Amino acid sequence: MSYDAQLRVWRGDDDGGELVDYTVSVSEGEVVLDIIHRIQATQASDLAVRWNCKAGKCGSCSAEINGRPRLMCMTRMSTFDESETVTVTPLRAFPVIRDLVTDVSFNYQKAREVQSFTPPKGLKPGEYRMQQEDVERSQEFRKCIECFLCQNTCHAVRDHEENKKAFAGPRYLMRVAELEMHPLDVADRREAAQEELGLGYCNITKCCTEVCPEGIHITDNALIPMKERVADRKYDPIVWLGNKLFRR
C-alpha cells in the first residue's frame, strides 16, 4: 500500500540554502534513503546525497531527520505518521558541501592525532595470547561504523566550533579507551586523552550513546572508564605520593 508523503529537504551549499518541499510516493517497508533516491529520480536529479551500502554498515548516509541524527537507510518511513512532514537536513556539526553532503574531514584529522596501537618491543607474532575477557572489553568499540552521528550530536562539537581544535569527540576518545584497555598496548594514553584530545570537555550527557546505530555504550563503557583512569593518575593522593617517591 502506498501513499503520498510530504518531505522537506535542505538544498544549498556552503554559501547558504533553504528547505524545499517535495510530495513523493512511499511504498510499504521503504526507508528515508529510498525516498531521497525517488526525489532524485523524479523531481531533483541534482540533489546531492552520500550513501554506499544501504544496509546500516558503511555510515555514509548520516543526516538529521526531523532534527535527530540518524542513518537514512535505517530509518523507516513507517516511523512517521503519514500526515507528518518529514524534514531531512545535513549534519549540523560539519560544513555543508552541497545539499545533504557535509565535509567530515574534521574526524579524519582527529583520527590521526590518536597514537596508534603500541605493542611491547620485540614481541613476535604468536608469542601472546589474550584472554576472552580481555577481548570482550574492547570488542564492543570495534563495531563502530564511523557514521559520525555521535560526533555530530555531541554539544561540545555541535554548538561550539571553537572547541574543535582541542576536542576529538566521542568517537576518537572511545578509540583511545579501546587501546588503553588493550592488554598488549604499552602506551600510556591518559595524559594525551585529557590534555591533547579534550576528554575534560565531555560531561557525560550520553547523547552520543543515544544516537549510535550500533548500540555501543560509548559513555558508560568507554568515556567514563577513561575519565576514571585519568582521575586516578592526576588526582589520587596515593598515586601522587607514589609518583613523587618514584621520581626521587
Side-chain angles (χ1 to χ4, degrees), residues 93-142:
F94 309 114
V96 173
I97 297 176
R98 183 178 161 195
D99 299 339
L100 301 178
V101 178
T102 54
D103 180 1
V104 294
S105 58
F106 158 80
N107 300 286
Y108 302 114
Q109 293 168 7
K110 292 303 177 182
R112 287 192 287 268
E113 294 177 12
V114 177
Q115 183 181 350
S116 61
F117 176 65
T118 310
K121 290 183 178 180
L123 187 70
K124 298 178 182 179
E127 291 185 347
Y128 189 88
R129 295 291 184 271
M130 290 178 63
Q131 298 295 321
Q132 185 61 35
E133 181 180 9
D134 292 329
V135 174
E136 291 171 353
R137 293 181 71 189
S138 60
Q139 189 69 24
E140 176 188 13
F141 310 139
R142 302 295 293 180

Side-chain angles (χ1 to χ4, degrees), residues 164-183:
K164 287 186 176 180
K165 290 183 179 180
F167 183 57
R171 191 278 170 265
Y172 296 104
L173 290 170
M174 180 177 71
R175 172 63 176 160
V176 172
E178 175 193 340
L179 293 169
E180 179 71 15
M181 295 176 187
H182 197 297

Side-chain angles (χ1 to χ4, degrees), residues 5 40 57 65-67 69 76 84 94 111 118 125 133 147 169 179 182 196 214 226 231:
Q40 279 184 320
K57 292 302 177 184
I65 304 172
N66 285 359
R76 293 197 177 275
E84 181 179 357
F94 309 114
T118 310
E133 181 180 9
C147 60
L179 293 169
H182 197 297
E196 299 172 20
E214 287 294 321
M226 199 64 210

Side-chain angles (χ1 to χ4, degrees), residues 23-86:
T23 300
V24 58
S25 176
V26 176
S27 298
E28 186 176 356
E30 289 189 316
V31 296
V32 172
L33 185 59
D34 290 322
I35 310 309
I36 293 296
H37 284 165
R38 185 163 295 130
I39 292 174
Q40 279 184 320
T42 62
Q43 301 182 53
S45 60
D46 60 341
L47 172 60
V49 58
R50 183 182 284 130
W51 71 284
N52 188 17
C53 75
K54 203 179 176 184
K57 292 302 177 184
C58 74
S60 299
C61 64
S62 300
E64 298 195 8
I65 304 172
N66 285 359
R68 182 179 176 84
R70 296 173 180 261
L71 293 178
M72 287 188 282
C73 72
M74 297 300 290
T75 305
R76 293 197 177 275
M77 288 298 295
S78 58
T79 304
F80 314 102
D81 190 272
E82 292 184 7
S83 62
E84 181 179 357
T85 297
V86 179

Side-chain angles (χ1 to χ4, degrees), residues 187-200:
D188 187 343
R189 305 168 186 278
R190 291 171 292 181
E191 184 174 352
Q194 182 73 10
E195 304 299 333
E196 299 172 20
L197 301 176
L199 181 61

Side-chain angles (χ1 to χ4, degrees), residues 3-20:
Y3 68 95
D4 287 339
Q6 302 298 319
L7 257 72
R8 186 166 293 161
V9 183
W10 197 90
R11 303 296 311 276
D13 54 29
D14 58 348
D15 291 326
E18 62 181 354
L19 290 168
V20 178

